[in-house]
Every structure is written in C-alpha cells, then in structure tokens.
Amino acid sequence: MLVRVGFRVPALLIAILASLVLVTLVSANSELTGTLGAIAGMWFAVHQVPLSISGTALGVFPLLPTIVLMVVVARAVHRVSEEFPTRRELGSIFAAAVLGPLLVTAVALAVATDASAAIGLSSPNAFHAFAWVAAVHAIAAAIGVVMGGWHSLGLAPWVPTWVGEVVRPTMRAAMVLIAGGAAVSLAAMVASWSTMEMLLDAGNGFVGVLGLTVLSILYLPNVVLGTSAVSVGSAAHVGEASVSLFHTAAGPLPPLPVLAVLPEGSAQTTWFLMLVVPITAAVMLGRDCARRTVDVHYAMSSVWLGAAALGILATVGGFAAGGNLGTFGTVEITAWSFGLLTFAWLAVVGSLAAALTAWRGGSKHEDSLPEKTVRTSEQPVLTPRARSVDAQQPADTPPVVHEEHALDAEVIDVPEAVDVPTIAPEPEAAADVVEAEVVDLAAPPTSDVEEPVEVKSTEDLPVKPAERSD
C-alpha cells in the first residue's frame, strides 16, 4: 500500500510526460538523443522548479498541470486513508506520499545533470527542487489525509462547530473570485480577438498553432489569477508591462496568444466595474455565514476566518503564478497586496452583509422554531386511556391520572363477550357492568393508583351506588 501511494502517481506522471516528449520530437522530426533530459525538465516544470535552459532562466510555468497533479494526489491519499484510518497508518501514508516523489526528484536531478550537454538543460538547484516537490505533494497529501481520517485524527473535539461550517461559504466565495476573474479574462480576449489571431498565425503551420493553443490553455490559471488580482486593486506585471485599475504601462511581451488579455491602451474608468467581483464574493460569504447561525458574533467570526483563509491562498497563488521569463524579465503578481486586498474586501464587506442578514433574518429564524413543551416532574402524563375515561366522567368525579411509570404496564385482554364500561351511571345497572381490565402497575409504593383485582364473574363484585367500578 505504501509503495502504491508513494510511486503510483509519479509513475503515471512520468508516463504521460514521456508520451508528450516523444510525440513532440517525432512530429518535429527531431532526434531522440535528449529524451530523458526533456522528461526530467518537464518533471521540474510541473512542480514549478526554476530551470535554466541554454543559459536562459525560466521560472514561470503553467499552473494547470500542477493543480491537476495536486487533485490526483489528494484523491488517491483520501481513498487509502479511509481504508487505513489509524493515526500510525495515516502518518505512514503521508510520509509515503511525500518521500516517493522526492526519490523520483533525486533521479531526475541526476538525469538532468547527465543530459545537460545534449539539450542545454542545466540541473536546477537541488534545494529548490526538493523544496518545491515536497511542498506540492505535502499540501495535497495533507488535504487527502485530513479528509479521509478526520475522526481518526481526533480533530473534531478541538475544532469548534462554527469553524467547520465556514468551509462551504469560503469555497463559494473562492469560486466567485475565480469565476469573476475568468469572465473578465474572456471578455478581454473577445475584445482583443484580432491580436490573438495574429499571435496564433505566428505558429507557422498546424503543429505550431496547436502547440501555442495548448500552451495558452495551460497558462490560463496564471492569467485568471492575474485578472483576479487586478479586480481587487492589486497589479500584475509581465516584464516592463504592468496592469492595474489605476495605471497601465507598455512593454515587450512573449508571443503567447493568451497574453492578448493585456490592454493595449491606458486605464479606463469602466475598469472599476471589476470591483463587482470581490464585492459579490464578500456579500455571498457574509450571507452564507449569517444564515448558518442566529448569533451575529459567530457569523462575523466566520466571515473573518474565511477572509483570512482566502487572503492566504491568494498570496500563495500570486507567488506561484510568477517567475523569471528570460529576456522578457519577471512575470509576477504583487502577491502581498493581492492577499491583503482580498482579505480586506471579504472581511469588511462580508461583515456588513453578515450583520444585515442577521438583523433582518435572525428574529424570523428564532420565531420559526417550534415551541417546546417543558414537562416537570409535577406534571402527570395522561395516557389515551386516561383521557378517554376523563372525558366520560362527571364533573364531580376526580380524574384518573396515570403516572409516567404506568407506560410500562402489562395489559391482559379479557374475552370479547364481556362488556366493559368504565363508569356505572346508575346503581341499578351497576350489577350488569364489569370493569374487566387487569393492569399490572409497576408503580412505587407511594403511588395513588390502587392495585386492581382480577374478577372472575360479575357476582363477586360489590356494587355501590355512587362509586366507580375500578
């Protein structure tokens, strides 16, 4: 099991990378001399490890393969964690999920060093390589272990209930931010469609156009993160070119069609409409948190916790989306401002939305709760039999009360031929009426209920004019 967890996903990834390298080299009529070096280089690229190719530093890589890899690792660890839920087994699973890729990274470093003469790929810094690979797989494995062994780890008693309930609203707010950034990017692509077509024509043939298209799709998460950063008030830089809500600067760009989203002119007043994205996410976060509790303090605490989590994720994503791009300079998102502004929008606007939602809907939620009947020890419990008897008795007759312990009574049915009225209305008819119900009461000695007597015939019953037969 540990071998499968540690090496199954890396082996699958290497097989996919080898297929892509071979197809690319064959389609380009190139030699297969540097195949192993190219596979090692793509292994590092998927894990965001900075590389140096023919003396040119390359540190910005597509985020889409990295995200898919983390999802696959988390799902695999989650499935295994459900089968082996003890703490010791979960620790072994986490260690295997991290150590397996690190061993593959050590082999890739040796291969890259050996192939440096053939393809010009320099072996990356060993510390950076191990750190990036360990970080990617450790985050994914931790998510899988927590999801699969939440109860086994004993985290539930230490985490308040409202903290667990903030997960879903936070995920919805994150989806709104990502969807808003994707919508703005799509609108910018449509507006710059002529520029995108010109960049695609630079591929010189079907293979070149296909390669540029695939590369643009792989870089889409980087572009969406940059657009989301601009929408909250931060900035994105591609070498000398920069974009923000307040200022733009021109500069040389790589011939990548997806970069057509960058504006060709100065900042416009209509760009402030992009602020709708963080405001909408904040309002949804506040409303969702307030609807899960009638306490406004818990709602605001949930909002601030979710805003802090998304601020941290924005900072990490902004840092991972950037890097060195050789002669074009540095591609980066101002990560610290991206995270801080994301937190500020969600916390402030979300708190206002939570307070308003709690003020308008909290009292209605409380009033809609069903009223609970509180029964004390002094209030007797009337069984259906007692209520029917009480409804037939005269006003001056004391009601028949069955205490709560009478629910455990054993009732013995009598033959159907005997007519059993409860109350004898007239003294003359009392001789013909029999109460033939025998009840074995499990009452304490102080109970007011008299012990019933089993009656064999009507002749043994004493008849009194104004008394009940029982």
Side-chain angles (χ1 to χ4, degrees):
M1 180 271 297
L2 295 178
V3 173
R4 185 174 71 249
V5 170
F7 294 99
R8 184 175 182 177
V9 175
L12 179 62
L13 177 59
I14 290 175
I16 295 174
L17 296 179
S19 302
L20 293 176
V21 169
L22 290 175
V23 170
T24 303
L25 293 178
V26 171
S27 62
N29 296 324
S30 178
E31 297 181 357
L32 304 180
T33 306
T35 303
L36 295 179
I39 295 174
M42 294 184 69
W43 169 270
F44 294 129
V46 170
H47 292 89
Q48 305 295 317
V49 180
L51 297 174
S52 178
I53 303 175
S54 299
T56 302
L58 184 62
V60 52
F61 296 104
L63 284 178
L64 184 59
T66 307
I67 295 173
V68 173
L69 174 64
M70 295 179 69
V71 171
V72 173
V73 172
R75 288 175 60 89
V77 173
H78 178 213
R79 287 194 298 267
V80 178
S81 299
E82 290 181 341
E83 299 177 4
F84 304 92
T86 65
R87 290 189 177 184
R88 183 176 180 179
E89 292 170 342
L90 293 176
S92 301
I93 293 171
F94 176 81
V98 177
L99 291 178
L102 290 180
L103 292 178
V104 178
T105 302
V107 176
L109 287 172
V111 171
T113 303
D114 183 66
S116 59
I119 59 175
L121 174 65
S122 300
S123 180
N125 185 282
F127 175 77
H128 291 167
F130 286 119
W132 275 103
V133 172
V136 169
H137 287 269
I139 293 174
I143 295 174
V145 167
V146 171
M147 292 178 60
W150 175 263
H151 298 287
S152 301
L153 293 173
L155 299 177
W158 299 93
V159 179
T161 305
W162 62 272
V163 175
E165 293 178 352
V166 78
V167 174
R168 189 177 296 274
T170 303
M171 293 179 62
R172 292 187 62 184
M175 293 176 62
V176 171
L177 290 175
I178 295 173
V184 174
S185 300
L186 180 61
M189 288 181 186
V190 173
S192 304
W193 189 255
S194 59
T195 303
M196 184 177 295
E197 287 184 342
M198 182 181 63
L199 293 174
L200 285 174
D201 292 339
N204 296 326
F206 174 77
V207 177
V209 172
L210 179 62
L212 289 176
T213 303
V214 172
L215 199 59
S216 298
I217 293 174
L218 295 178
Y219 273 104
L220 270 179
N222 304 60
V223 175
V224 170
L225 279 176
T227 307
S228 301
V230 173
S231 67
V232 300
S234 184
H237 305 270
V238 182
E240 298 179 1
S242 64
V243 183
S244 68
L245 289 176
F246 314 99
H247 176 72
T248 60
L253 298 175
L256 190 62
V258 74
L259 293 180
V261 299
L262 296 176
E264 299 178 359
S266 59
Q268 305 294 326
T269 307
T270 56
W271 289 9
F272 285 96
L273 293 176
M274 287 193 290
L275 294 175
V276 174
V277 175
I279 292 176
T280 303
V283 170
M284 292 187 63
L285 177 63
R287 292 182 61 185
D288 290 344
C289 292
R291 287 174 176 177
R292 293 175 180 270
T293 177
V294 295
D295 192 342
V296 67
H297 300 289
Y298 282 141
M300 289 191 175
S301 300
S302 302
V303 169
W304 281 71
L305 180 61
L310 290 182
I312 294 174
L313 291 178
T315 304
V316 174
F319 176 75
N324 201 338
L325 195 57
T327 57
F328 292 97
T330 302
V331 177
E332 64 176 352
I333 299 172
T334 311
W336 66 268
S337 63
F338 185 23
L340 184 61
L341 290 172
T342 301
F343 168 75
W345 279 109
L346 295 177
V348 176
V349 180
S351 297
L352 294 177
L356 182 61
T357 303
W359 176 69
R360 294 181 59 185
S363 59
K364 295 180 180 180
H365 180 75
E366 292 175 348
D367 294 341
S368 62
L369 295 176
E371 295 183 359
K372 297 182 179 180
T373 304
V374 180
R375 185 178 72 245
T376 62
S377 59
E378 298 177 358
Q379 295 176 342
V381 180
L382 297 180
T383 61
R385 168 72 177 174
R387 286 193 292 268
S388 61
V389 171
D390 183 67
Q392 299 176 5
Q393 290 178 350
D396 56 347
T397 305
V400 178
V401 177
H402 294 263
E403 296 292 335
E404 189 171 3
H405 53 258
L407 295 175
D408 297 329
E410 179 182 359
V411 180
I412 302 176
D413 296 332
V414 297
E416 297 180 356
V418 182
D419 188 10
V420 188
T422 303
I423 301 174
E426 297 295 336
E428 293 79 8
D432 299 328
V433 178
V434 177
E435 179 67 26
E437 181 178 8
V438 180
V439 181
D440 184 12
L441 295 176
T446 56
S447 176
D448 295 334
V449 182
E450 298 179 359
E451 294 289 336
V453 180
E454 184 176 0
V455 180
K456 301 299 182 180
S457 64
T458 57
E459 298 177 356
D460 297 335
L461 286 176
V463 179
K464 295 182 180 181
E467 292 184 357
R468 297 178 303 172
S469 61
D470 55 354

